[in-house]
Amino acid sequence: MTELSRRDFLKLAGGTAAWVAVLGQAGLALRQLAPVGVANPLESYPDRDWERVYRDQYRYDSSFTYVCSPNDTHACRMRAFVRNGVVTRIEQNYDAGRITDLFGNSSTPHWLPRGCPKGLTLHRRVYGPYRLRYPMVREGWKRWADDGFPRLTADLRTRYGFDSRGTDRFVRLSWEETYRYMAEAVMAIARTYSGPGGAAILAAEGYEPEMIEAMHGAGTRTFKLRGGMGLLGVLGKYGMYRLSNLLALVDHHVRGVGPDEAQ
């Protein structure tokens, strides 16, 4: 340990006393300052440009309403706000109580507020880095469709990659190609499972006789369609119900039956 001499001690004590004196004088001077009388500092603040950031963050160019139904049961009415062509935020539309059905029945305002955090942040998925920006299809399925949807034997399942899904590549399609492939797939399913030949295929695949009987010979009855939970979309919110009804037209063209027999 370094020993402190008497001379060094006196120097240190003298310096400390000097600083205490200076600080005391400064404190006295601060106490003697006259108060500034400003009634409203915001009226005379020199630079308030920073406030524009907070005022502009909710500015928008346009907005639109829609029904939010991401696989739940509420079908909430929401409003999206658009700025520079991008949906920047989503809010509840607060119009429950003014909505009416086809018969004029009105909903109740007691449903407000409607909308959940999932719906309020759904636009983040639209602009997310992993979103699908164009139609895609599995390469093996595309080859199978291009070959006319042949009956899948064990060898063909391997050729088209149906026994190794998850390892196949995806290829990009245009919207026109997508619509064409979807229509061709619908017709192929309807033709494959219609009539006695279709019933025999289903029986060989292990379908129960009661299920095959309930098809009444229509391959369109093998489609698995689900429009949503409950009866939320019967009056037009869900396209699956409309597609289900339109399949009767497909059955008419495939089996040649009339409107009373089309399934």
Side-chain angles (χ1 to χ4, degrees), residues 3-173:
E3 294 184 359
L4 186 64
S5 66
R6 182 174 180 275
R7 180 183 297 274
D8 293 334
F9 175 78
L10 292 175
K11 288 182 179 180
L12 180 62
T16 303
W19 276 108
V20 170
V22 171
L23 292 176
Q25 293 177 359
L28 180 61
L30 290 175
R31 288 195 298 271
Q32 292 177 346
L33 289 176
V36 178
V38 179
N40 185 358
L42 295 180
E43 291 181 353
S44 57
Y45 194 81
D47 184 6
R48 297 181 61 182
D49 290 342
W50 58 271
E51 295 181 3
R52 297 177 183 175
V53 176
Y54 299 95
R55 290 174 175 167
D56 290 348
Q57 64 179 337
Y58 291 111
R59 183 171 59 84
Y60 60 93
D61 302 325
S62 62
S63 68
F64 62 90
T65 58
Y66 65 97
V67 174
C68 180
S69 296
N71 198 32
D72 56 30
T73 61
H74 296 90
C76 301
R77 283 263 297 170
M78 309 295 282
R79 179 174 291 275
F81 296 87
V82 181
R83 183 171 180 177
N84 297 328
V86 176
V87 176
T88 57
R89 74 181 191 276
I90 296 173
E91 295 181 0
Q92 304 167 42
N93 200 46
Y94 290 101
D95 58 355
R98 302 194 303 270
I99 304 173
T100 59
D101 61 13
L102 297 177
F103 304 101
N105 301 313
S106 176
S107 60
T108 172
H110 295 295
W111 281 352
L112 295 174
R114 292 177 64 84
C116 68
K118 177 171 61 175
L120 296 175
T121 58
L122 197 60
H123 61 297
R124 297 184 182 180
R125 298 189 62 181
V126 176
Y127 301 109
Y130 302 108
R131 70 190 185 278
L132 290 178
R133 291 173 290 178
Y134 37 75
M136 301 182 70
V137 67
R138 196 168 57 82
E139 193 174 50
W141 189 94
K142 184 177 182 299
R143 290 198 306 270
W144 178 54
D146 292 337
D147 291 344
F149 302 97
R151 186 68 187 154
L152 287 175
T153 62
D155 293 339
L156 291 183
R157 285 182 180 275
T158 300
R159 178 187 302 178
Y160 298 120
F162 280 88
D163 55 0
S164 61
R165 302 188 70 171
T167 62
D168 204 353
R169 295 194 313 141
F170 279 81
V171 294
R172 179 175 178 175
L173 297 179

